[in-house]
Amino acid sequence: MSGQGKSIWDTLGDIPREVLYGVLLVVFVIPMIYPLGLPVPISANVLKWYKAVEDLPPGAVVMIDFGYSGGGEPELGPMAVAVYHHMLRRGDIKVICMSTSIEGPQLWDKAMAELRPEQRYGAVYGVDYINIGYIAGGETAMAAVGKDLRATTSTDYKGTPLDQYSIMDGIVDAHSFDLLICYTTGGDQSEGWVRQWYTVYGTPYMCSVLAMMVPTMLPYMNAGQIISVTSGAQAGEMEGLVHVPARGIKSADVITLTHMLCVVYVVIGNVAYIAKKFQGGSK
Amino acid sequence: MELDLVIQIWLASLFTIWIYSIAFRDNDFFKFAEYTFVGAAAGHSLVYGVDNLRRYGWDNLMGGAYLYIVVFLLGILLYSRYHPQYFWVSRYPLSIMVGIGIGLSMRAVVTAEFIAQIKSTAGIKLIGVSDPITLLSNLIFIILVVTTVYFFLFTFPKSHEGGLSIIPRIARYGMMAAFSYSFANTVLSRYNMIFGRLDYIYNQWLPLPGAIIALPVALILLIYAMLPPEKRPWPKKQ
């Protein structure tokens, strides 16, 4: 091609990244300002998750692992908040939270600020819900909490002794829990809980992970080791089910349009590539 | 709104803009945000590290669990790796940590990741399935499991040649489809993260007083920082 002008296919095949990202940014911003209200159909896994919480007996105790990092908050945060809404609205479920991620306690605080359990549901910290904080050690921590929770940590995330909270009465080990939920950005955590709790104690387990981790986790669900695997991107579906529209539903328009743009980019790149190949071959 | 929350929202929003600016071009604002993040993350980990020592070690030791002295000693020995002569001592606590980690994983890994998965795959039915979509799905699943396992039989090179080469080829298409699924999900994750940050800027930061003026100023400064020094309108190079 030296000495010749660039053809239209060369231009299309070599669009500067600034232009691609610029157009992407515009497609992100427009539906945020002018929402389209695209429908959010409920998928089978989210329905299964919802049903698992709905079927919990009165007085059930749920362990939640806030195992995600700050980078994963925009995706997993809305799902965590929507599921908390579901459980606290029932009013007869006790929720104990821990973190296998070092940033977990701060992200839990952020979720509670959004949830406002006291004002909205009359839920009381230490009676209906609690956070026992970050427990170091990854899979070792999961095993230790499953074996003897009090021996692993004797205080909540604020440093107050667990004995002062009525929610902790009768909580000993993994057998004290009716359900385990994990939100995580790390495969070690989502798979670690299968190994350390489901396999050893048979605790029913569900996890919500980054969308990119879903293919890794699906075999566990197919084998019956996990009740339901969802991605944080499905938070809109959960918000629809629990009738608390928030960030998840708002993202539906944006995600749909940006993915359509992504397909357009792929088509342009491939058409340019094939056309250039065809031109080269015809010479 | 409380002042500390306002400061938090301003910083979070500006750092979001600065970090995402790398998508367009490298610039000093991005570098500043990147280095600040690394420093803050290291500080955060350090504080939690000290807190963990107190919470899981020191408090127990003070409570009469004197065996924790062994744990502290092992922890201190880890730092011998920085000594040129006695670095080998650090191998002992490290080997204990690795041993415990492997032991904990191994107690369940065979059941969780081999037996359960094999049982699940072996339980897939082809006969007696009335739904044609499920039947097709099961058939594809079985073909891809068998061909993919075959793909990784490297001991017999001839098993990948001649008429048998169709088997690893089917496996390759199957794996490419699986990788595409993962990659598409990665795009979804990334877009969700961008949306989360843009939503934060739009709904948390921009409604604050002064933010609507600060946004264009921040963008102009960013564009200026992205320009090569010789193209900057000011200051003119001598």
Side-chain angles (χ1 to χ4, degrees):
Chain A
M1 293 300 285
S2 63
Q4 295 177 17
K6 281 175 90 176
S7 72
I8 178 80
W9 305 121
D10 289 319
T11 312
L12 283 177
D14 196 22
I15 300 171
R17 67 172 185 173
E18 290 87 349
V19 176
L20 298 175
Y21 284 130
V23 175
L24 182 67
L25 187 64
V26 171
V27 174
F28 260 109
V29 171
I30 289 174
M32 280 173 67
I33 300 169
Y34 305 105
L36 304 174
L38 294 172
V40 183
I42 312 293
S43 60
N45 283 357
V46 173
L47 209 56
K48 223 189 275 183
W49 182 301
Y50 180 84
K51 203 172 169 307
V53 173
E54 201 68 1
D55 290 346
L56 284 171
V61 185
V62 179
M63 167 64 93
I64 295 184
D65 173 19
F66 259 60
Y68 56 92
S69 59
E73 198 283 332
E75 185 172 350
L76 293 166
M79 179 61 104
V81 171
V83 175
Y84 251 111
H85 273 297
H86 187 195
M87 291 189 290
L88 292 180
R89 196 182 55 195
R90 272 196 50 172
D92 55 0
I93 299 177
K94 298 192 183 303
V95 190
I96 295 173
C97 179
M98 63 170 275
S99 299
T100 49
S101 155
I102 199 163
E103 294 156 64
Q106 279 90 349
L107 295 170
W108 184 82
D109 270 337
K110 188 179 184 301
M112 289 305 112
E114 200 175 325
L115 188 74
R116 292 182 291 117
E118 275 87 3
Q119 294 93 324
R120 208 182 292 220
Y121 300 106
V124 179
Y125 182 82
V127 177
D128 303 297
Y129 69 103
I130 195 170
N131 186 353
I132 59 172
Y134 166 64
I135 298 177
E139 209 162 325
T140 317
M142 296 170 197
V145 172
K147 193 179 174 196
D148 188 347
L149 191 148
R150 302 295 181 102
T152 313
T153 179
S154 54
T155 62
D156 74 341
Y157 82 124
K158 297 172 187 165
T160 311
L162 293 180
D163 295 331
Q164 294 184 12
Y165 298 113
S166 64
I167 189 173
M168 298 307 295
D169 293 347
I171 304 296
V172 182
D173 54 21
H175 293 297
S176 310
F177 295 92
D178 299 276
L179 181 67
L180 166 69
I181 292 174
C182 170
Y183 306 106
T184 183
T185 43
D188 287 350
Q189 280 107 316
S190 52
E191 293 175 31
W193 285 114
V194 175
R195 288 191 287 266
Q196 300 305 332
W197 274 44
Y198 174 78
T199 307
V200 180
Y201 305 104
T203 314
Y205 170 48
M206 306 199 284
C207 67
S208 190
V209 293
L210 293 179
M212 68 181 86
M213 291 160 60
V214 170
T216 323
M217 296 310 297
L218 282 179
Y220 293 101
M221 193 185 82
N222 293 340
Q225 294 160 299
I226 303 178
I227 297 171
S228 174
V229 176
T230 63
S231 78
Q234 291 171 298
E237 300 173 34
M238 191 61 78
E239 288 171 4
L241 278 174
V242 300
H243 307 296
V244 186
R247 281 189 285 164
I249 283 191
K250 275 201 286 182
S251 71
D253 289 347
V254 176
I255 296 301
T256 307
L257 290 183
T258 48
H259 276 71
M260 284 164 71
L261 180 69
C262 195
V263 171
V264 171
Y265 282 171
V266 171
V267 170
I268 289 173
N270 278 277
V271 167
Y273 172 76
I274 292 165
K276 274 202 294 190
K277 207 171 168 186
F278 179 74
Q279 278 181 339
S282 62
K283 278 181 184 173
Chain B
M1 195 181 283
E2 292 162 15
L3 183 64
D4 61 338
L5 187 59
V6 172
I7 294 170
Q8 187 186 320
I9 293 172
W10 271 79
L11 285 177
S13 303
L14 287 172
F15 273 86
T16 300
I17 294 169
W18 294 339
I19 282 286
Y20 274 125
S21 68
I22 190 65
F24 295 91
R25 201 165 288 174
D26 197 8
N27 62 83
D28 290 339
F29 287 104
F30 167 75
K31 287 193 185 93
F32 173 70
E34 189 186 31
Y35 297 156
T36 309
F37 174 75
V38 172
H44 184 259
S45 298
L46 182 72
V47 170
Y48 261 90
V50 173
D51 187 55
N52 287 335
L53 278 177
R54 181 194 58 76
R55 202 172 162 199
Y56 304 117
W58 191 252
D59 286 354
N60 288 323
L61 185 65
M62 291 297 109
Y66 296 113
L67 263 179
Y68 274 84
I69 291 172
V70 178
V71 181
F72 273 101
L73 280 176
L74 287 171
I76 291 164
L77 286 182
L78 272 174
Y79 289 94
S80 67
R81 65 177 297 178
Y82 297 111
H83 193 283
Q85 199 179 345
Y86 299 107
F87 69 94
W88 56 270
V89 179
S90 68
R91 288 176 185 155
Y92 291 99
L94 197 64
S95 61
I96 290 172
M97 281 167 64
V98 172
I100 291 172
I102 291 176
L104 274 170
S105 292
M106 286 305 289
R107 70 170 179 165
V109 81
V110 176
T111 314
E113 288 172 20
F114 291 103
I115 297 171
Q117 307 300 324
I118 293 167
K119 262 172 72 181
S120 155
T121 308
I124 290 173
K125 288 178 187 166
L126 287 179
I127 300 162
V129 180
S130 54
D131 179 24
I133 301 289
T134 311
L135 180 65
L136 180 67
S137 168
N138 289 356
L139 188 64
I140 292 171
F141 192 100
I142 290 168
I143 290 170
L144 289 180
V145 166
V146 173
T147 54
T148 306
V149 169
Y150 187 91
F151 182 90
F152 290 101
L153 294 176
F154 299 125
T155 314
F156 312 105
K158 290 206 167 152
S159 64
H160 286 227
E161 290 169 8
L164 290 171
S165 65
I166 185 76
I167 302 173
R169 199 179 303 155
I170 291 169
R172 202 161 59 229
Y173 287 131
M175 285 189 281
M176 293 305 281
F179 300 149
S180 308
Y181 177 49
S182 280
F183 179 69
N185 271 304
T186 306
V187 174
L188 174 60
S189 271
R190 299 298 179 225
Y191 281 4
N192 239 307
M193 287 176 191
I194 299 172
F195 169 75
R197 295 320 298 163
L198 290 176
D199 182 63
Y200 185 84
I201 290 173
Y202 184 62
N203 287 310
Q204 304 277 327
W205 184 48
L206 289 183
L208 293 179
I212 204 79
I213 298 163
L215 177 63
V217 173
L219 293 179
I220 289 167
L221 287 173
L222 255 182
I223 293 167
Y224 180 83
M226 285 179 197
L227 289 173
E230 64 275 10
K231 287 191 179 174
R232 287 177 186 167
W234 180 89
K236 287 285 180 197
K237 283 186 105 177
Q238 296 297 317

